[in-house]
């Protein structure tokens, strides 16, 4: 089906050449370049007598806005701010001479360019294309990239760009095969947003767009559409948008780049704006969002996916910590206090980048963020445990102190979702298990979790902690949490899980060479 789609697009491109549809081809090429290479494009204007288009059918314009370079542009080596000239032609004969002539014209005047991209309908053999690229590079020091008819058809036969073929080559929507495993609601929303001209300016638009954007960056099947959704969401980043709406759009944009596109560099300026804004805010929710962004930036630093330095990341950590301490000193409402303390604990558990390189520690990750989707990474952690970097946290005992204060505040905020704190302690169990307050705090949050979500939820957290400790060869420590889980599973609906937990207890005793106890719990499991 994909090959057939590509063939239909290729035929339609050839028909453009047959009827001399140069204007349609230029528009199609510009839309394709904007979707795949860079967003900052201007069409060339002016009659030939006034200088014509100077061999540039369209070109980039200077902008201070980051993130304009699209995925294909980045793969070609482009950076935001690079000058790029584009030329397109339906000429069939002497295509090499035509492209060289357009290059000469483009470089004769106008703004300096580092790249020239040529779009043509006629196919060019690979050897001939490489020869043209070498000639231009040797003579002008400029990188030439050529997309011929087959190359253009390849780019258009993609779910993220097929709308261009629909609109400018008048191909029917049926020509594109349905994507695998994508829900109908998503396809319907994608089709609607591709055709709508309604300006994006309200919370309703935000909710509609971010629902689709979240699907796109959380799944493999949706990643190809991320640039489209980000482009539609972009008007809400404007300074004229209401403050809270701009914050929400900014937050989703940063996370989409991190989790879906694998780089925060295009939105480093948004990261700075988000954190700097929170540093003067009194809203615990805005501060909590900024802490999440800071931790993502720290992780991106380990993978080389941000240009923010370790020094700046640590300075932000200190600034947000000081802001939280200042707000806590004002004795806010109990719910706000709980939120601020959770954020404080997260800041205290952040890797201390000031120590990296000074005492032999290394904070680097070989895998890219996009090697896994978020759910796949969480599943891998659940199955294989968490392998912490050998880098000290900012202040682990300080994190435990924050959780201790949170535990003291919970009685005054009975509806506060303790699951967040319980999950945090569970994920960080290998790092925190040796802290003196760990077991006592785990008991507090497990009891609160059992009250709010039921005993099974508390048992699940205890099982997760036990598994994490077993994977770290901490069998005695894990056994304590396993007994907690079993005690929460003594009810009729938990039969299978209770059997599994009891068998795991038998294995733990066997690992500890307490064979009588291991046999006892094995027989209990058999009886159950």
């Amino acid at each position: 089906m994909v090959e057939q789609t590509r063939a239909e697009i290729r035929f339609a491109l050839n028909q453009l050449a047959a009827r001399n549809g140069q204007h349609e081809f230029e528009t199609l090429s510009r839309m394709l370049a904007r979707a795949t290479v860079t967003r900052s494009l201007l069409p060339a204007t002016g009659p030939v007598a006034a200088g014509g288009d100077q061999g540039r059918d369209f070109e980039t314009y200077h902008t201070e806005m980051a993130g304009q370079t699209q995925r294909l542009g980045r793969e070609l080596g482009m950076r935001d701010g690079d000058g790029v000239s584009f030329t397109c032609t339906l000429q069939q004969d002497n295509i090499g001479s035509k492209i060289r002539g357009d290059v000469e014209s483009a470089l004769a005047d106008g703004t300096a360019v580092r790249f020239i991209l040529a779009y043509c309908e006629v196919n060019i053999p690979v050897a001939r294309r490489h020869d043209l690229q070498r000639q231009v590079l040797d003579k002008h020091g400029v990188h030439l990239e050529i997309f011929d008819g087959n190359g253009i058809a390849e780019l258009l036969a993609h779910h993220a760009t097929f709308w261009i073929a629909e609109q400018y080559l008048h191909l029917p929507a049926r020509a594109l095969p349905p994507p695998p495993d994508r829900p109908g609601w998503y396809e319907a929303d994608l089709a609607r947003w591709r055709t709508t001209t309604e300006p994006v300016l309200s919370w309703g638009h935000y909710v509609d767009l971010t629902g689709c954007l979240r699907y796109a960056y959380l799944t493999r099947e949706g990643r190809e559409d991320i640039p489209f959704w980000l482009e539609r969401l972009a008007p809400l980043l404007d300074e004229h948008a209401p403050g809270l709406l701009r914050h929400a759009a900014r937050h989703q944009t940063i996370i989409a780049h991190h989790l879906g596109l694998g780089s925060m560099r295009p939105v480093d300026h948004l990261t700075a704006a988000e954190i700097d804004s929170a540093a003067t805010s009194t809203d615990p929710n805005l501060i909590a969002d900024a802490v999440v962004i800071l931790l993502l930036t720290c992780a991106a630093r380990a993978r080389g996916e941000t240009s923010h330095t370790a020094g700046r990341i640590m300075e932000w950590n200190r600034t947000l910590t000081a802001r939280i301490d200042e707000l806590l000193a004002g004795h806010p409402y109990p719910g706000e206090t709980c939120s601020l303390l959770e954020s404080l604990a997260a800041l205290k558990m952040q890797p201390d980048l000031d120590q990296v390189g000074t005492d032999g520690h290394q904070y680097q990750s070989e895998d890219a963020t996009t090697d896994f989707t978020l759910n796949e990474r969480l599943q891998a952690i659940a199955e294989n445990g968490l392998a912490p970097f050998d880098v000290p946290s900012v202040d682990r005992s300080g994190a435990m102190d924050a959780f201790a204060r949170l535990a003291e505040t919970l009685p005054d905020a009975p509806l506060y979702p303790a699951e967040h704190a319980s999950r945090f302690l569970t994920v960080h169990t290998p790092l925190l298990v040796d802290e003196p307050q760990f077991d006592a705090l785990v008991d507090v949050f497990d009891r609160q979790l059992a009250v709010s979500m039921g005993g099974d939820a508390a048992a699940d957290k205890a099982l997760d902690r036990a598994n994490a400790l077993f994977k770290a060869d901490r069998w005695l420590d894990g056994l304590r949490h396993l007994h907690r889980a079993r005690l929460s599973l003594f009810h009729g609906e938990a039969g299978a899980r209770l059997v599994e937990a009891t068998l795991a207890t038998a294995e733990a005793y066997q690992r500890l060479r307490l064979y009588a106890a291991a046999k006892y719990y094995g027989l209990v499991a058999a009886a159950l």
Side-chain angles (χ1 to χ4, degrees):
M1 284 291 289
V2 175
E3 290 298 327
Q4 181 179 341
T5 299
R6 193 179 297 120
E8 289 194 41
I9 295 172
R10 187 67 190 86
F11 175 74
L13 287 169
N14 182 257
Q15 293 303 105
L16 273 184
R19 67 171 187 269
N20 196 25
Q22 179 66 27
H23 176 70
E24 295 98 315
F25 186 64
E26 287 184 12
T27 306
L28 177 148
S29 300
R30 187 171 72 253
M31 293 298 102
L32 182 60
R34 194 167 190 272
T36 60
V37 181
T38 178
R39 294 187 184 129
S40 54
L41 291 179
L42 281 176
T45 56
V48 174
D53 60 16
Q54 295 182 323
R56 305 181 183 190
D57 293 304
F58 47 99
E59 61 184 348
T60 54
Y61 60 87
H62 178 71
T63 174
E64 296 296 331
M65 183 178 293
Q68 297 302 295
T69 304
Q70 302 284 64
R71 180 175 180 177
L72 180 58
R74 292 194 297 270
E75 290 175 353
L76 294 175
M78 293 179 193
R79 302 185 299 268
D80 287 340
D82 281 344
V84 187
S85 174
F86 298 81
T87 180
C88 41
T89 182
L90 291 175
Q91 182 171 314
Q92 302 293 297
D93 301 322
N94 300 319
I95 188 65
S97 298
K98 168 62 175 171
I99 291 175
R100 283 195 300 270
D102 284 342
V103 169
E104 295 284 350
S105 299
L107 297 176
D109 201 359
T111 57
V113 297
R114 290 187 62 233
F115 293 85
I116 295 179
L117 272 65
Y119 295 90
C120 60
E121 186 278 327
V122 66
N123 290 333
I124 302 178
V126 173
R128 180 63 175 141
R129 185 164 68 246
H130 289 172
D131 184 51
L132 285 169
Q133 291 174 315
R134 188 163 45 251
Q135 292 176 29
V136 170
L137 184 62
D138 290 344
K139 184 174 182 179
H140 302 287
V142 171
H143 179 81
L144 170 68
E145 194 64 41
I146 301 171
F147 294 95
D148 62 8
N150 284 341
I152 295 172
E154 183 84 23
L155 292 174
L156 290 175
H158 199 270
H159 283 91
T161 51
F162 183 75
W163 66 273
I164 301 172
E166 280 188 271
Q167 185 166 345
Y168 297 102
L169 296 177
H170 309 292
L171 288 180
R174 59 152 181 84
L176 184 67
D181 302 324
R182 299 218 307 196
W185 67 263
Y186 179 79
E187 289 299 317
D189 282 1
L190 180 61
R192 173 168 54 84
W193 277 103
R194 287 207 186 281
T195 57
T196 187
T197 58
E198 181 181 359
V200 176
L201 43 78
S202 71
W203 277 105
H205 293 133
Y206 167 81
V207 171
D208 195 3
L209 285 169
T210 53
C212 296
L213 177 61
R214 283 178 58 81
Y215 172 83
Y217 69 68
L218 290 175
T219 65
R220 292 193 179 279
E221 295 78 19
R223 282 180 174 174
E224 62 192 27
D225 301 321
I226 293 174
F228 170 78
W229 295 119
L230 289 174
E231 184 175 350
R232 297 313 306 260
L233 192 64
L236 298 182
L237 301 174
D238 189 86
E239 61 181 7
H240 299 298
L244 288 178
L245 182 55
R246 184 170 66 250
H247 155 73
R250 191 163 60 195
H251 189 79
Q252 284 296 321
T253 299
I254 295 169
I255 292 179
H257 273 83
H258 179 72
L259 294 180
L261 300 179
S263 177
M264 297 181 75
R265 292 178 187 275
V267 289
D268 276 344
H269 64 298
L270 297 182
T271 297
E274 183 85 348
I275 297 174
D276 290 342
S277 175
T280 58
S281 176
T282 59
D283 187 338
N285 294 320
L286 295 185
I287 293 172
D289 285 346
V291 170
V292 170
I293 295 302
L294 177 58
L295 295 178
L296 292 180
T297 305
C298 189
R301 173 74 184 172
R303 294 183 168 92
E305 296 173 355
T306 178
S307 58
H308 288 309
T309 63
R312 190 170 196 190
I313 290 171
M314 294 309 299
E315 180 60 33
W316 277 331
N317 182 288
R318 289 186 288 271
T319 300
L320 290 176
T321 298
R323 183 56 176 164
I324 291 173
D325 287 339
E326 181 182 350
L327 293 175
L328 288 173
H331 305 291
Y333 292 116
E336 294 179 338
T337 298
C338 290
S339 178
L340 290 169
L341 288 170
E342 269 197 53
S343 296
L344 182 61
L347 290 170
K348 298 289 188 182
M349 285 302 297
Q350 178 190 306
D352 188 351
L353 302 187
D354 286 339
Q355 296 297 316
V356 174
T358 63
D359 51 7
H361 295 290
Q362 293 295 322
Y363 186 55
Q364 292 181 338
S365 178
E366 298 300 325
D367 67 326
T369 302
T370 49
D371 285 350
F372 298 92
T373 65
L374 178 60
N375 287 336
E376 289 170 346
R377 195 172 290 277
L378 291 175
Q379 181 64 29
I381 291 173
E383 293 176 356
N384 305 313
L386 193 67
F389 284 107
D390 184 25
V391 175
S393 301
V394 171
D395 182 7
R396 290 181 190 175
S397 61
M400 299 309 294
D401 289 340
F403 276 117
R405 293 175 63 186
L406 176 56
E408 293 172 359
T409 310
L410 279 179
D412 297 322
L415 297 182
Y416 189 79
E419 198 272 339
H420 295 163
S422 181
R423 182 174 63 236
F424 188 97
L425 288 171
T426 298
V427 169
H428 290 86
T429 292
L431 298 175
L432 295 174
V433 66
D434 292 324
E435 293 294 327
Q437 304 178 77
F438 182 73
D439 282 347
L441 289 174
V442 161
D443 282 339
V444 171
F445 290 110
D446 277 0
R447 287 197 300 270
Q448 185 71 19
L449 193 60
V451 170
S452 61
M453 299 181 65
D456 283 6
D460 286 341
K461 289 294 183 290
L463 286 171
D464 289 342
R465 291 193 298 270
N467 288 330
L469 290 168
F470 289 159
K471 289 181 172 65
D473 287 329
R474 301 285 295 265
W475 291 92
L476 188 59
D477 294 317
L479 189 59
R480 291 201 306 274
H481 294 275
L482 195 53
H483 280 306
R484 286 195 181 99
R486 289 180 57 257
L487 291 173
S488 298
L489 291 172
F490 274 108
H491 58 82
E493 296 178 358
R497 296 165 69 214
L498 179 58
V499 171
E500 292 173 4
T502 306
L503 283 172
T505 305
E507 182 184 0
Y509 277 118
Q510 183 180 7
R511 294 279 186 154
L512 293 168
R513 299 184 179 182
L514 299 172
Y515 298 115
K519 291 177 182 179
Y520 172 81
Y521 279 99
L523 289 170
V524 170
L528 289 171

